[in-house]
Amino acid sequence: MEQSAQQAQQLDHLASAPPPNESPFAAFGMPGFGGPAPAAPPEPRPILELDGEEREDELDALSDWVDDFFLPVYGAEVTTAAPWCLQWQEHDDVVAWLHALWLAYQQHKDPESGLSGLFVWHRDFLTHAVAAIRAPGGPLSACMTSPERPAHRLLPGPPPSIRTEAASAAEAVGTTEPDEPTS
């Protein structure tokens, strides 16, 4: 009799309507029908797209992560095969790589990434980014290759394309670009 009473209570509980604000899909992180959608997290923007104080704040936070976590753990020795620059913040390409690496780190250390989140970060992000940043012919190759000889030099990039130069020249003169020749 007691078991029958417990089963009846379970059936009553399962047959009753859910609480008004609870979604039947809440366990899956989904909103209910007609209910408000959960607030979306802010979309990260690449640091090179930021301006002014917003960029400075992001660069400060990135510098803290690089100096306090990344370099002590993954910095390795500075050599000709793995150069570094104490003024890395002035190398836009290095800033872009490190910022992307930092964003991926934040995502993969989140508990929702699961137990393998940081392994995925190491495998898919860290190894490739460090290889690109610290390559012998990479963006820091003209900078410090020995801790005894600190150096910093920005390498010149390629010139703009002819099409870009022609458009800039046409804007300066106030004319439009001539039609392309046909052959």
Side-chain angles (χ1 to χ4, degrees):
M1 293 292 271
E2 188 177 315
Q3 190 177 18
S4 292
Q6 287 176 346
Q7 288 175 346
Q9 284 180 338
Q10 286 178 338
L11 287 172
D12 287 343
H13 174 70
L14 293 173
S16 66
N21 291 334
E22 189 174 315
S23 163
F25 308 108
F28 304 106
M30 298 170 56
F33 300 112
E43 285 193 31
R45 291 179 43 209
I47 195 167
L48 298 182
E49 291 181 4
L50 303 177
D51 292 320
E53 189 174 325
E54 188 178 18
R55 182 173 178 160
E56 285 301 314
D57 291 345
E58 192 75 358
L59 188 57
D60 285 344
L62 174 62
S63 296
D64 289 344
W65 179 77
V66 169
D67 292 340
D68 297 340
F69 174 75
F70 177 75
L71 287 177
V73 176
Y74 303 103
E77 186 177 4
V78 175
T79 65
T80 55
W84 185 249
C85 185
L86 297 175
Q87 298 173 45
W88 61 266
Q89 298 94 338
E90 295 180 20
H91 297 266
D92 281 344
D93 46 356
V94 173
V95 169
W97 272 105
L98 289 172
H99 187 251
L101 185 63
W102 179 49
L103 293 176
Y105 174 77
Q106 292 177 69
Q107 177 185 354
H108 285 84
K109 77 172 187 155
D110 188 277
E112 290 184 14
S113 293
L115 296 175
S116 63
L118 286 173
F119 175 80
V120 172
W121 179 76
H122 281 87
R123 182 194 67 201
D124 294 349
F125 300 94
L126 176 70
T127 305
H128 183 69
V130 170
I133 293 168
R134 298 192 66 189
L140 302 178
S141 60
C143 295
M144 183 171 60
T145 58
S146 170
E148 287 82 38
R149 295 187 315 272
H152 168 69
R153 190 179 84 177
L154 294 174
L155 297 172
S161 69
I162 292 175
R163 181 176 175 88
T164 303
E165 285 183 347
S168 296
E171 283 180 16
V173 175
T175 63
T176 58
E177 203 171 319
D179 291 331
E180 293 184 26
T182 56
S183 11

